[in-house]
Amino acid sequence: ECISLNEKDKIVDIEVGNIIIATGYEFLDVRKIEQYGYGVFPNVLTSIEFERLTNASGTTGGKIVTKTKVVNKKTGREDWIFSPEGIPPRSVAIIHCVGSRNKKYNQYCSRVCCMYSLKFAHLIREKVPNVTVYEFYIDMRAFGKGYEEFAERIRQEGTYVVRGHSASVAMKDDQMIVRGEDIFNDRIVEFNADMVVLAVGLIPSPGTEEISRMLGIERDSDGWFSELDYNGSPTDTDKGGIYVAGMCQAPKDIPDTVAQASAVAAGVLRTLTSGKGIGHLSSLSLSEI
């Protein structure tokens, strides 16, 4: 009886001493970057779509397969879907920095893309026999503990790692063609791909601007919430009692997010035990937050 299924919507005012902003992130709409063919070519996927495909609870039970064309019985139209009976790809291209480090979209690095792209390469080679995998990157930013070793492991497993600033996806004779630079060998390369995975850049979550205005918290030039001091107070804001944690402040991986969240929890506990966190802020309406 802990859930009231007949509960009505209502506005509740509560008085709080601390607020933690942990509103996360969103993916850039990759349809804006037409050169990759997302939404046009059925087997061009975003990173989160591929993550779902490889999940054991997903549509294919974790099998990595290309999409199958089926007829929708309700509409009579042809749709592309993932099916457990689908055909595994013979070649997969993983393209880094899609919308990141790009003056037209996001100038900043999204930080997490290099490592999850390398993880994808490992999973593909583990699950699909005799598959060819390409990693197309600008710079490999393997900054964490053991990350550089993992990047080297991926190369040793046989993934073709191509460094180049740009790439595009086109269709020729029902076959996707990935084209881009190979800076190390000073040439343009082209290769076939049955599946393309886009490491899409991260942006502030919807509603960030509204929350910033409502709480009076500043944002940086890229739209993320600003901390009081990056080195000295990375979780505080210029409003006492309001903290930021996780990707709402900037792109970061799981270990950094956990560390920041722990720091915020410690800061809140400190104000509560000192008595400064009770009634420190004006009351806010839950409907506003």
Side-chain angles (χ1 to χ4, degrees):
E1 302 296 327
C2 62
I3 298 175
S4 175
L5 300 178
N6 299 318
E7 185 70 47
K8 304 295 183 182
D9 290 341
K10 59 183 178 181
I11 296 175
V12 179
D13 291 328
I14 60 173
E15 191 171 287
V16 298
N18 296 279
I19 293 177
I20 301 172
I21 305 174
T23 50
Y25 66 97
E26 184 58 83
F27 288 98
L28 176 73
D29 183 1
V30 75
R31 290 180 177 86
K32 298 177 180 178
I33 314 177
E34 297 179 356
Q35 69 197 61
Y36 298 117
Y38 179 77
V40 178
F41 307 138
N43 286 297
V44 176
L45 314 178
T46 64
S47 49
I48 197 68
E49 289 171 341
F50 184 79
E51 187 81 44
R52 178 59 177 165
L53 176 65
T54 60
N55 194 295
S57 64
T59 307
T60 64
K63 294 180 180 178
I64 299 175
V65 296
T66 55
K67 287 184 178 179
T68 303
K69 184 187 291 186
V70 298
V71 177
N72 190 311
K73 295 180 180 180
K74 293 183 179 180
T75 64
R77 294 181 299 184
E78 292 182 333
D79 293 332
W80 290 89
I81 65 169
F82 284 115
S83 168
E85 291 76 35
I87 300 173
R90 296 164 297 177
S91 58
V92 180
I94 304 171
I95 302 177
H96 295 216
C97 298
V98 176
S100 297
R101 304 180 63 193
N102 187 319
K103 292 182 179 180
K104 290 180 62 178
Y105 304 102
N106 300 324
Q107 298 190 51
Y108 53 86
C109 170
S110 292
R111 291 193 68 190
V112 299
C113 313
C114 282
M115 297 314 300
Y116 74 58
S117 295
L118 293 172
K119 179 192 75 172
F120 288 166
H122 176 73
L123 289 174
I124 293 166
R125 293 188 60 83
E126 184 178 62
K127 292 187 175 186
V128 183
N130 304 317
V131 68
T132 302
V133 182
Y134 301 91
E135 289 269 353
F136 210 103
Y137 75 106
I138 299 177
D139 290 307
M140 194 65 72
R141 297 192 168 182
F143 60 89
K145 182 178 181 180
Y147 287 8
E148 189 64 38
E149 291 80 0
F150 184 71
E152 183 57 33
R153 174 184 172 183
I154 298 304
R155 291 185 175 93
Q156 293 176 358
E157 288 177 351
T159 295
Y160 293 93
V161 182
V162 182
R163 185 177 184 182
H165 188 268
S166 62
S168 62
V169 181
M171 188 72 73
K172 183 178 180 181
D173 299 328
D174 295 326
Q175 175 66 61
M176 285 194 297
I177 307 294
V178 177
R179 187 174 190 268
E181 301 172 342
D182 179 357
I183 292 178
F184 283 148
N185 296 300
D186 192 22
R187 61 177 180 170
I188 300 296
V189 295
E190 285 188 357
F191 45 83
N192 297 340
D194 296 325
M195 178 181 289
V196 176
V197 181
L198 304 177
V200 184
L202 308 180
I203 60 175
S205 61
T208 296
E209 182 178 359
E210 183 180 356
I211 293 176
S212 171
R213 174 186 52 77
M214 179 171 46
L215 298 180
I217 303 299
E218 292 187 0
R219 297 187 298 153
D220 61 26
S221 59
D222 296 316
W224 306 96
F225 286 112
S226 295
E227 68 287 335
L228 184 61
D229 180 84
Y230 183 78
N231 294 312
S233 303
T235 62
D236 295 349
T237 67
D238 56 2
K239 297 289 184 180
I242 301 181
Y243 303 86
V244 290
M247 278 210 192
C248 70
Q249 181 254 340
K252 55 179 63 69
D253 64 358
I254 293 173
D256 286 349
T257 298
V258 171
Q260 195 173 34
S262 298
V264 168
V268 170
L269 288 173
R270 183 174 63 250
T271 63
L272 292 177
T273 55
S274 65
K276 295 180 179 180
I278 306 298
H280 183 62
L281 297 176
S282 300
S283 62
L284 295 171
S285 169
L286 288 182
S287 63
E288 293 179 342
I289 299 178

